[in-house]
Amino acid sequence: MDNRLQRGDWAPPFKTTDIQGREVDFSSFADWGIWLAFYRYASCPMCNQHFDDVMGRQAELFENRVTFISVFESEPKNFPKNILSRSFPNLTIIADPEHSLYTLYGVERSWGKLFTPQSAIERVRAGLAGYMEGKIDGPLDRIPAHFLILPQGIIHQARYGKTAADHIKWRDLEDFYASVRGQLNQVNRVPTPTRPVAPAPPQPPSDNDKTELIRTVKLELDSPEDLRKDEN
């Protein structure tokens, strides 16, 4: 597709709401690495299996300062319980039935990628693991896509699926973790500029200061040196 994003591109910012109705502002994750996952419809067996796999490693993501934002093309009312029941501090779930975010990130549709031997094999595996097909309330030919985004908003990896079951590999996260830590450490090493403090304005001398000044001047005038000068 012509509007595909690549490594090194700026990730398109967005504002929307999650399935709980809370505002999601892309810019609010500036201190985190972002794993932005575009799934198919919410009852897709392969998507659900991958989503649960990610949920099992949320602690790992949190420790590496990575937040997981998942996008489904279903209405919130059609989300299965295994998705709705999840709650983690670094988890955001977005319903995008209008496909605005899918379009923004160039997530494709392809019948050719849907009907592949690998898609069929993964569907069977998901079924054997207990993930059953539910209501299909999105384009059946939607292909998943994943984006790993660095804290500064640059895309570290853009992965457009080759099949309907092609998701990012966990081994790809290791390099991403290191890059996120590197950026955050670099930011933390830069000292925060501070405004110069203006010197306090001079204060008028107090009564004690005036008395001390008069005493000092008198002593200087009454010194032996001054007396000898006067005699000469």
mmCIF file of all heavy atoms in Angstrom, residues 194-198:
data_model
loop_
_atom_site.group_PDB
_atom_site.id
_atom_site.type_symbol
_atom_site.label_atom_id
_atom_site.label_comp_id
_atom_site.label_asym_id
_atom_site.label_seq_id
_atom_site.Cartn_x
_atom_site.Cartn_y
_atom_site.Cartn_z
ATOM 1 N N THR A 194 17.514 25.884 34.137
ATOM 2 C CA THR A 194 16.927 26.611 35.249
ATOM 3 C C THR A 194 17.049 28.102 34.992
ATOM 4 O O THR A 194 18.024 28.569 34.404
ATOM 5 C CB THR A 194 17.641 26.277 36.574
ATOM 6 O OG1 THR A 194 19.035 26.536 36.420
ATOM 7 C CG2 THR A 194 17.459 24.809 36.939
ATOM 8 N N ARG A 195 16.050 28.823 35.412
ATOM 9 C CA ARG A 195 16.048 30.271 35.216
ATOM 10 C C ARG A 195 17.040 30.910 36.180
ATOM 11 O O ARG A 195 17.027 30.611 37.384
ATOM 12 C CB ARG A 195 14.652 30.820 35.465
ATOM 13 C CG ARG A 195 14.510 32.312 35.186
ATOM 14 C CD ARG A 195 13.122 32.790 35.576
ATOM 15 N NE ARG A 195 12.104 32.097 34.800
ATOM 16 C CZ ARG A 195 11.706 32.478 33.599
ATOM 17 N NH1 ARG A 195 12.261 33.528 33.023
ATOM 18 N NH2 ARG A 195 10.786 31.799 32.952
ATOM 19 N N PRO A 196 17.948 31.792 35.697
ATOM 20 C CA PRO A 196 18.896 32.458 36.612
ATOM 21 C C PRO A 196 18.157 33.228 37.692
ATOM 22 O O PRO A 196 17.134 33.864 37.424
ATOM 23 C CB PRO A 196 19.671 33.404 35.693
ATOM 24 C CG PRO A 196 19.431 32.892 34.313
ATOM 25 C CD PRO A 196 18.097 32.231 34.318
ATOM 26 N N VAL A 197 18.664 33.149 38.901
ATOM 27 C CA VAL A 197 18.045 33.865 40.010
ATOM 28 C C VAL A 197 18.603 35.280 40.052
ATOM 29 O O VAL A 197 19.821 35.485 40.148
ATOM 30 C CB VAL A 197 18.323 33.148 41.351
ATOM 31 C CG1 VAL A 197 17.703 33.924 42.498
ATOM 32 C CG2 VAL A 197 17.794 31.732 41.296
ATOM 33 N N ALA A 198 17.748 36.270 39.975
ATOM 34 C CA ALA A 198 18.192 37.670 40.004
ATOM 35 C C ALA A 198 18.672 38.024 41.401
ATOM 36 O O ALA A 198 18.102 37.578 42.396
ATOM 37 C CB ALA A 198 17.034 38.586 39.603
#
